[in-house]
């Protein structure tokens, strides 16, 4: 989820082994292909669907599919289906990240990656950045109206056809074309919203679902970042104060934060930073909003947020480079695999229309403010809006076995959303990793928990206490500060 990979938060199908029954036989032709970061060959193909599924006429678009085949013959008939985050990430580009996560399951099950319509290789709704803005635009994390308008002119698509319910219908059709009667869903961040809607519309096709960082349709992006980001940041400051080394090294952390914010609101700072592509120095204007964005993004990953107290202390002394550098690396990683147009098609149709004046008034009083929210309000006034089913925002109720994973310090999809969806899932288990942030699946014992869950299709009996023992990374201190 913007402004970070939601992930992590924010993450391929040869029909091998036992042949499917005639009514399940797939029709989608797959050919050997190579995916970046994978040693083994995968199988790739595409399946055409109507862009306007309701009209069933007009433009057709290709949905790109990739499969990492099971290593053993006689593979289980129910593969792992990876649903990427964002919204706007393509699943296939995440192959090298998810393959290790499902390595043991991949012995006997295929891993299926489908680029959701509007992402990756499936008619991506890519918006070219404002090249003239340079690094300033990266740190502002803005969606200028001229960029949104130009994107609408350039994309070969009807943006109203790229919301989640339509993508869910595509996925059901693609899985049928691959010959899979039942599958095991794994969704990260926005991918959990897709998984939940798929469970609502096509429960008979879901054997299990793993939801990592729940982002239900009922949340309001990006408004939710204001509340959840503030809670995560307050937890970080409190954790620093509770750790002897951090509190000793940065005794004035809260004072520095307040003073920096006030100073930048009155007088933005001018900072020179090297362009990561050209190596040339560029001037960046550090405003209050740039500073706040610089505090928010690292919260997605404890390994990065552990640098924040040091970065704030350095900024208080006039050196903003540590704060900007870690944000630059984080943002560049996101931009490589995010279709901004598809992101807007989802958020402008499903989230922004439900933001009220009372919501905005509350956001104005919050630590991170409403700058990001206002940015989306402006963009969504230009972006065409899709219609969604009347029951789309109703809680999903399903008997499907579900494993819900949440990071206790997640600024985007904290445990409260996992608890909300748990109410409608009687065969679900909500496992919380208190010291992890956005994306739990790849940490500590989580891969083994997922493996056990998928094999047994039983979340209730899982012992997930091992997640509680995963520590938060130590805060980075000045040289010589920690014995």
């Amino acid at each position: 989820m913007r402004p970070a990979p939601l992930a992590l938060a924010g993450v391929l199908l040869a029909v091998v082994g036992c042949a499917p029954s005639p009514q399940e036989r797939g029709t989608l032709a797959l050919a050997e292909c190579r995916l970046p970061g994978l040693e083994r060959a995968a199988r790739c193909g595409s399946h055409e669907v109507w862009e306007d599924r309701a009209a069933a006429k007009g433009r057709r678009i290709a949905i790109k599919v990739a499969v990492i085949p099971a290593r053993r013959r006689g593979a289980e008939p129910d593969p792992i289906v990876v649903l990427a985050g964002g919204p706007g990430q393509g699943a296939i580009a995440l192959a090298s990240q998810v393959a290790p996560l499902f390595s043991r399951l991949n012995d006997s099950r295929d891993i299926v990656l489908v680029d959701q319509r509007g992402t990756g290789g499936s008619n991506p709704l890519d918006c070219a950045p404002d090249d003239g803005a340079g690094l300033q635009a990266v740190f502002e994390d803005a969606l200028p109206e001229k960029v949104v308008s130009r994107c609408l002119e350039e994309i070969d698509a009807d943006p109203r056809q790229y919301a989640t319910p339509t993508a869910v219908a595509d996925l059901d059709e693609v899985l049928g074309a691959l010959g899979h009667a039942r599958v095991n869903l794994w969704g990260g961040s926005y991918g959990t919203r897709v998984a939940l809607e798929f469970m609502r519309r096509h429960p008979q096709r879901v054997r299990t679902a793993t939801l990592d960082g729940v982002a239900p349709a009922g949340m309001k992006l990006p408004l939710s970042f204001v509340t959840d980001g503030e809670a995560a940041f307050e937890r970080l400051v409190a954790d620093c104060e509770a750790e002897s080394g951090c509190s000793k090294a940065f005794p004035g952390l809260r004072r520095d934060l307040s003073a920096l914010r006030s100073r930048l609101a009155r007088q933005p700072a001018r900072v020179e930073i090297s362009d990561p592509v050209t190596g040339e120095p560029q001037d960046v204007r550090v405003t209050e909003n740039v500073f706040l964005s610089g505090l928010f993004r690292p919260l997605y990953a404890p390994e990065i947020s552990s640098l924040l107290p040091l970065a704030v202390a350095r900024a208080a002394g006039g050196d903003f480079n540590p704060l900007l550098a870690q944000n630059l690396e984080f943002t560049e990683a996101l931009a490589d695999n995010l279709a901004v147009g598809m992101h807007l098609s989802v958020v402008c149709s499903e989230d922004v229309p439900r933001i009220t004046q009372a919501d905005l008034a509350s956001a104005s009083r919050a630590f991170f403010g409403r700058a990001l929210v206002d940015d989306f309000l402006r963009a969504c006034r230009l972006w065409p809006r899709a219609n969604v089913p009347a029951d789309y925002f109703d809680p999903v109720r399903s008997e499907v076995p579900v494993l819900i994973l949440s990071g206790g310090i997640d600024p985007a999809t904290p445990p409260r959303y996992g608890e909300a969806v748990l109410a409608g899932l009687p065969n679900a288990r909500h496992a919380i990793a208190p010291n992890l942030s956005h994306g739990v699946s790849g940490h500590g014992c989580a891969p083994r928990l997922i493996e056990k869950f998928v094999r047994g299709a039983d979340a209730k009996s899982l012992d997930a206490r091992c997640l509680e023992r995963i520590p938060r990374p130590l805060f980075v201190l000045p040289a010589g500060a920690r014995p």
Side-chain angles (χ1 to χ4, degrees), residues 379-396:
C380 290
R381 281 196 286 267
L382 299 175
W383 202 261
R385 182 184 304 176
N387 294 318
V388 296
D391 63 347
Y392 180 65
F393 301 106
D394 293 346
V396 173

Side-chain angles (χ1 to χ4, degrees), residues 71-152:
R71 296 183 184 89
R72 298 173 186 163
R73 290 185 176 274
E76 298 288 346
D78 49 296
I80 309 295
V81 176
V82 175
L83 305 174
Q89 285 187 319
I92 295 174
L94 303 178
S96 64
Q97 298 176 40
V98 300
L101 171 62
F102 302 119
S103 178
R104 291 167 64 95
L105 286 169
N106 194 207
D107 285 342
S108 57
R109 283 180 168 86
D110 295 344
I111 301 173
V112 180
L113 300 128
V114 180
D115 279 348
Q116 185 172 332
R117 61 165 58 202
T119 75
S122 300
N123 198 38
L125 306 191
D126 289 327
C127 297
D130 184 1
D131 293 331
L135 290 181
Q136 186 69 44
V138 173
F139 293 117
E140 291 284 358
D141 195 27
L143 284 168
E145 292 184 23
K146 63 179 181 179
V147 171
V148 176
S149 297
R150 188 178 68 224
C151 186
L152 283 171

Side-chain angles (χ1 to χ4, degrees), residues 151-204:
C151 186
L152 283 171
E153 295 172 359
E154 294 176 352
I155 59 173
D156 185 21
D158 177 355
R160 298 170 299 174
Q161 308 301 329
Y162 290 78
T164 306
T166 309
V168 162
D170 289 345
L171 180 61
D172 181 61
E173 187 175 322
V174 167
L175 293 176
L178 288 165
H180 293 301
R182 300 184 79 200
V183 300
N184 301 282
L185 300 176
W186 178 91
S189 192
Y190 164 72
T192 66
R193 183 182 295 193
V194 180
L196 286 165
E197 184 65 7
F198 194 87
M199 289 163 57
R200 187 205 308 274
R201 305 298 172 189
H202 309 285
Q204 74 287 347

Side-chain angles (χ1 to χ4, degrees), residues 315-372:
D319 180 8
F320 286 87
N321 274 278
L323 184 67
L324 297 181
Q326 66 182 11
N327 275 268
L328 187 60
E329 181 178 353
F330 206 68
T331 306
E332 289 296 315
L334 170 63
D336 288 342
N337 184 31
L338 185 75
V340 173
M342 184 273 194
H343 187 97
L344 289 171
S345 285
V346 171
V347 175
C348 293
S349 300
E350 304 173 22
D351 297 81
V352 167
R354 293 178 298 112
I355 295 175
T356 67
Q357 289 301 315
D359 291 332
L360 295 175
S362 178
S364 298
R365 298 187 295 270
F367 178 80
F368 285 108
R370 51 180 277 185
L372 181 63

